Amino acid sequence: MSPELVVDLAAIRHNVRVLKELTGTAMMTVVKADGYGHGLAEAARAAREGGADWIGVATIAEAVALRESGDTGRALCWLTTPGDDWAAAISRDVDVTVYSEAALIEVLATGLDARVQIKVDTGLHRGGAPRAQWEGLFARAAAEGVRVTGLWTHFSSSDEPDDPANDDQERAFDEALALARRHGLDPEVTHLANSAAAILRPSARRDLVRCGIASYGLDPAPGHTPDLGLRPAMTARAHLALVKAVDAGDAVSYGRTWTASRPTTLGLVPAGYGDGLPRVGGNHAEVWVAGRRRPVRGRICMDQLVVDLDGDDPGAGAEVVVFGPGDHGEPTAQDWAEACGTISYEIVTRIGGRFTRTYVDTDRLGP
Ligand SMILES: *Cc1c(COP(=O)(O)O)cnc(C)c1O
């Protein structure tokens, strides 16, 4: 049996509803990178059912995939390179984002009546128009009669709510907005907030918030986020390939980085870094087998990893929960992130390989 990712669509629906109620703004659910590993089409559908007014994706290819899945609501994409097929997004009624006059010219060259959003860089120094180009870009958009439907930016440090960079960026955004208005632009929506800012920074909510990770039930700002009752949507599970006994002094896996100090039993889990489990989780991460958390012993390999069953023998074929919602004590994607020195985003987005994805809807089960 191949390992499985079980995605609970009811959890996504619930999380979107909770976030929308909390923020009191329009909600964009972000489904880039295959819905953070949960499936772009399925995540978008569940999000719409939960009340998502907008769907956000990074690339035009993702926007096309969204439309091909049957989604017809408002949608925004925001990551392009010169020569991209802008018409593919615009003709499918997707709002596109420009960071530069060069991009705006490409949009105009399609000859289509595009809905264009302008992204300004207020301090992340990643995408978005740098301050020195705001005026030129706004003036050009106004002169060409571009339908500017949005003005937006993105925080660098919203998961650190006390970082003064958040205030600085919000102030810079208001300056950009005032400048855009002086040029006669009147964006339908202004937006800054990702999940962490949507939850932790009411001043950043504006017309619309762009929630990714929290929509999947994961914590955008561990240590800062209040308990909102969000439900992790993804469970990764597998079945033990083998159980065996080892003696004190026996070392486990490549490089012999862990040695048993007592006789114990080991379980072989048929999933590894080839399936997106970070190799650095070796000797740090845990999985759930037979009612307990079991530590990963030794290095995680390409196709497999070994866990310490502490003398228990649940038998080959026993279920392994690699991570899940945590309701029964099983490790979560956040636990894996901490064991691997990363963030939960990376755990759920990278898992794949030989895991097959299936969907359940816990609202629609039962009598
Ligand atoms: C990914 C992304 C988001 C969502 O961020 P989360 O932290 O997952 O909520 C929002 N806006 C932009 C521009 C993004 O790239």
Side-chain angles (χ1 to χ4, degrees):
M1 259 182 294
S2 65
E4 270 191 321
L5 302 178
V6 183
V7 175
D8 182 4
L9 298 170
I12 297 174
R13 205 186 295 125
H14 165 85
N15 297 332
V16 171
R17 222 178 263 133
V18 166
L19 292 164
K20 193 170 169 177
E21 200 160 299
L22 172 78
T23 59
T25 60
M27 174 61 60
M28 177 186 293
T29 302
V30 180
V31 302
K32 64 191 182 190
D34 202 18
Y36 289 47
H38 296 68
L40 181 150
E42 294 83 357
R45 203 170 300 129
R48 292 290 193 197
E49 289 170 3
D53 306 280
W54 290 74
I55 296 291
V57 293
T59 65
I60 288 173
E62 290 174 328
V64 170
L66 176 71
R67 290 310 192 215
E68 286 181 351
S69 79
D71 187 272
T72 56
R74 290 299 289 275
L76 175 69
C77 65
W78 56 69
L79 187 60
T80 54
T81 47
D84 272 0
D85 186 2
W86 293 87
I90 297 164
S91 66
R92 289 176 173 83
D93 212 22
V94 173
D95 288 42
V96 295
T97 302
V98 300
Y99 303 167
S100 64
E101 277 188 72
L104 188 63
I105 289 163
E106 289 198 39
V107 171
L108 291 166
T110 65
L112 298 168
D113 182 23
R115 280 200 294 259
V116 177
Q117 302 210 8
I118 297 175
K119 181 179 184 187
V120 288
D121 181 2
T122 55
L124 177 60
H125 298 127
R126 195 181 68 178
R131 186 184 278 268
Q133 292 170 20
W134 292 352
E135 179 121 44
L137 182 53
F138 298 157
R140 185 72 181 256
E144 302 280 359
V146 173
R147 186 148 56 120
V148 176
T149 52
L151 184 77
W152 64 278
T153 192
H154 194 50
F155 285 113
S156 63
S157 308
S158 58
D159 59 338
E160 293 292 345
D162 300 327
D163 191 319
N166 294 304
D167 294 334
D168 294 346
Q169 285 195 259
E170 204 170 331
R171 201 173 309 113
F173 182 71
D174 285 326
E175 288 162 17
L177 182 58
L179 185 63
R181 289 194 171 129
R182 280 204 296 282
H183 283 275
L185 302 180
D186 182 23
E188 169 194 346
V189 286
T190 60
H191 47 110
L192 311 84
N194 58 357
S195 295
I199 294 168
L200 297 170
R201 194 174 173 85
S203 63
R205 290 174 185 158
R206 309 297 171 103
D207 303 314
L208 178 65
V209 296
R210 305 185 304 267
C211 291
I213 198 75
S215 317
Y216 304 100
L218 298 172
D219 187 343
H224 299 287
T225 312
D227 183 3
L228 301 171
L230 299 175
R231 287 164 32 198
M234 182 188 287
T235 298
R237 66 181 187 205
H239 296 274
L240 289 179
L242 182 72
V243 177
K244 67 171 69 165
V246 291
D247 293 325
D250 287 348
V252 173
S253 194
Y254 290 131
R256 303 163 55 84
T257 62
W258 182 83
T259 301
S261 59
R262 52 177 178 27
T264 189
T265 48
L266 301 177
L268 181 64
V269 180
Y273 64 78
D275 307 295
L277 296 174
R279 184 171 176 273
V280 292
N283 288 318
H284 298 292
E286 296 177 322
V287 303
W288 181 260
V289 185
R292 280 172 53 188
R293 287 193 183 206
R294 312 288 183 166
V296 174
R297 299 303 196 196
R299 291 194 182 140
I300 293 176
C301 311
M302 187 182 291
D303 318 306
Q304 37 197 316
L305 60 87
V306 177
V307 296
D308 189 347
L309 296 172
D310 194 27
D312 295 342
D313 183 2
E319 185 180 72
V320 179
V321 180
V322 179
F323 59 79
D327 297 341
H328 304 287
E330 75 276 17
T332 60
Q334 178 62 31
D335 291 327
W336 267 83
E338 286 167 20
C340 299
T342 184
I343 54 177
S344 61
Y345 298 65
E346 189 177 1
I347 300 297
V348 290
T349 303
R350 292 186 74 170
I351 197 163
R354 286 153 289 196
F355 280 88
T356 56
R357 201 162 50 208
T358 60
Y359 293 91
V360 294
D361 192 325
T362 52
D363 284 347
R364 290 174 190 165
L365 292 180

